[in-house]
Amino acid sequence: MNQEREKRDEWENIFRRKLQNLEVETSPDDWDAIVDRLQEGKVVPTRRRWTYWAAAVLATLFIGGGVYLSLRTDSYNDTMITEQTRPDTRREVLPSPPTGFVAPESAGNQTLLAVADKQKFRQQATDVYVTPEEEALTTEVIQDTPTEDNDVETGEEIPEDTPTIDPEIQSTTAIPQADVEKPTAPARKWSFGMGMGGLTQNSGEVVNTYVLRSSNNLEDEELLAINAVSDQNMGKLPRTNIKHKMPISFGLSVNRTLNNRFSLQTGLVYSLLISDWETQASAYNNKTRQTLHFLGIPLYLSYKIAEWKRFQIYASTGAQAQLNVDGRLTVRRFSDDLQTGEAHINRRMKELQWSVSAHAGVSYPLFPYVSAFAEMGAAYYFNNGSEVETIYSDKAFNINPQIGLRLNF
Amino acid sequence: MNEKQLIEGCRKGNRLAQKELYDTYSRKMMGVCLRYVSDRETAQDILQDGFVKVFTSMGSYAGIGSFEGWMRKIFVNCALEFLRKIDVLRDAVELDYTNEISGHAHSVIAEMSANELMKVVQELPAGFRTIFNMFAIEGFSHKEISEMLSITESTSRSQYTRAKQLLQRKINDLL
């Protein structure tokens, strides 16, 4: 090369001298783009890259599985307690369907309750199996009642001044009538498999109200009627406390960089919504837990506001569509703090839950392709007309602090 | 920071060191990029590619020889990579026509500014421009160029000659 270079003439030397070290101004955006690429696309050996991926997936499964299992364990524990107490409390007159829970200790209203329950159970004879022993016990309890024996026996004549309960009314608390089905629905296994995600935290809320959304008042009417006959404070409305727990979300987020500042984010988000209803009346109380599983697809446009060292401050806005893939109601009835029955009912919101939201947060790259983020967001959930009540329908606008991991491609 | 400290800082991923290195060399490397591609946006892309490669492969710099020369090679390779992608080098044709450039032309280009010369070079077709840059400015031999561009040595020579003729014609047009 040197020999050839020596042959180069003056003409070439002039070009080289003038152009070799020529400096041209760069754009301020160039450095930003370089930093972005250094953070997001660090070149790492393939073997290490797979290690990172494997670690990320395992961490997600571990965290997500732990949360899910812990929630499931709580549910199983509740059921076990109920099942253990049931044999010991043979005072329970009837088997434990979702309707007609009977409290045997309240002598004043035993008969009436038995009548109401018997009427209902005759209608549900094909659905509920009553053992001969239980039938005998039922009859015995009814016959032990000092008054209205005939009425009870025949089930036909009830004094006019005795409050009666519409047999059509199916008993569960805060459950729309249409959703009350066979109570023997087993706990469904809902498969849980998600990638990296964030923990969404919504503010829980306790609402004291009597008339709930949808047809909840129907069930409360029944509870009111049951309690009214024995209640000294006749006419006093039962009080239902609603508590929506903080939704828990895990999501696989994919980030697509559009330019130095803007990027698109989408992915798949799993959300768990739990709500508790507790109807407090004088003689009987219902405790209902609603557990809904949602899968959502968000689409956000993100804007990088500033960068400090490796931290990125950003803002994003977008929309999300969530589909309720599974759900369950667990209804437990108590009498004088003694659980008298439990029922499980499938429940699902058929409508899509749409929402729009805006977030501002900070992200920090942990590994190649993986960054941690913490953000604060405000979301508005549109009314989709569903009868299923959730934190979204109760509180359409809420503030969400969110932390998690994000995959960047 | 001196050059050694800068290099060491960049090896450790120190963002401040990387920024200082960028500030020191970015304008010069942008000049390299613009000699190979006339489009400024494309040159910016190549500049960014080049610095990402510099920072991520800093460990491969052995400390022997000029650091700037090592960087410059990375940027030239990035530019060539881009040119290969758009296949501008395939149309290189062999020419055996040579024409001596007069002494008058030497004095003319000596009086021209660097920016004027740059503009003339940028007006060359991509294939000619690439070989002209590699041979006349970077100092590669035709053998090296033929290996880097996967063309024959004679093609490199003929393309260079053709590039010189075109440059001469453009400079004459300016007079």
Side-chain angles (χ1 to χ4, degrees), chain B residues 32-33 36-37 46 74-84:
Chain B
V32 174
C33 297
Y36 284 86
V37 291
I46 294 170
I74 287 177
F75 282 89
V76 170
N77 282 331
C78 285
L80 294 178
E81 198 175 317
F82 168 79
L83 292 168
R84 276 193 213 100

Side-chain angles (χ1 to χ4, degrees), chain A residues 316-353:
Chain A
S316 63
T317 183
Q320 182 175 203
Q322 287 179 288
L323 178 67
N324 182 199
V325 292
D326 199 0
R328 191 170 70 151
L329 278 176
T330 301
V331 185
R332 288 182 290 164
R333 174 159 289 184
F334 294 83
S335 174
D336 297 328
D337 295 324
L338 179 69
Q339 182 168 333
T340 57
E342 177 170 325
H344 301 284
I345 299 153
N346 290 334
R347 162 168 271 202
R348 194 172 82 82
M349 179 189 285
K350 296 178 180 63
E351 298 84 356
L352 277 178
Q353 177 66 61

Side-chain angles (χ1 to χ4, degrees), chain A residues 345-367:
Chain A
I345 299 153
N346 290 334
R347 162 168 271 202
R348 194 172 82 82
M349 179 189 285
K350 296 178 180 63
E351 298 84 356
L352 277 178
Q353 177 66 61
W354 288 92
S355 62
V356 289
S357 60
H359 307 265
V362 181
S363 70
Y364 184 83
L366 295 177
F367 316 107

Side-chain angles (χ1 to χ4, degrees), chain A residues 122-294:
Chain A
R122 280 174 182 163
Q123 292 184 341
Q124 298 172 357
T126 54
D127 293 334
V128 180
Y129 172 72
V130 182
T131 63
E133 292 80 8
E134 286 169 330
E135 185 67 41
L137 186 59
T138 306
T139 308
E140 185 183 332
V141 170
I142 292 170
Q143 287 174 345
D144 285 347
T145 308
T147 60
E148 302 170 343
D149 282 353
N150 294 334
D151 298 334
V152 171
E153 286 295 290
T154 60
E156 293 171 356
E157 294 178 17
I158 300 172
E160 287 179 7
D161 58 345
T162 304
T164 58
I165 300 166
D166 183 353
E168 291 299 314
I169 297 174
Q170 303 295 310
S171 171
T172 51
T173 297
I175 308 168
Q177 177 75 17
D179 288 332
V180 180
E181 297 169 0
K182 289 186 179 181
T184 53
R188 290 179 62 183
K189 299 281 186 186
W190 194 81
S191 62
F192 179 87
M194 294 301 295
M196 309 309 295
L199 174 67
T200 303
Q201 199 175 2
N202 282 20
S203 56
E205 188 185 12
V206 178
V207 180
N208 292 324
T209 178
Y210 169 60
V211 180
L212 302 177
R213 189 176 168 179
S214 73
S215 56
N216 293 337
N217 53 343
L218 190 66
E219 291 78 44
D220 287 336
E221 262 178 35
E222 184 205 20
L223 197 63
L224 171 66
I226 292 171
N227 284 286
V229 293
S230 61
D231 202 329
Q232 297 295 324
N233 303 315
M234 189 149 178
K236 182 180 177 182
L237 296 177
R239 184 181 177 87
T240 299
N241 291 331
I242 310 167
K243 185 172 185 180
H244 296 297
K245 295 199 170 184
M246 294 178 292
I248 298 171
S249 296
F250 290 96
L252 180 68
S253 175
V254 182
N255 193 61
R256 169 71 180 166
T257 304
L258 299 177
N259 56 35
N260 294 339
R261 295 280 179 184
F262 286 96
S263 63
L264 272 179
Q265 288 171 14
T266 184
L268 191 65
V269 178
Y270 163 77
S271 298
L272 174 64
L273 270 64
I274 296 176
S275 302
D276 288 323
W277 282 261
E278 184 175 356
T279 304
Q280 297 171 336
S282 53
Y284 295 94
N285 297 327
N286 275 358
K287 289 183 179 176
T288 305
R289 166 162 287 193
Q290 175 182 271
T291 307
L292 301 176
H293 306 274
F294 283 82

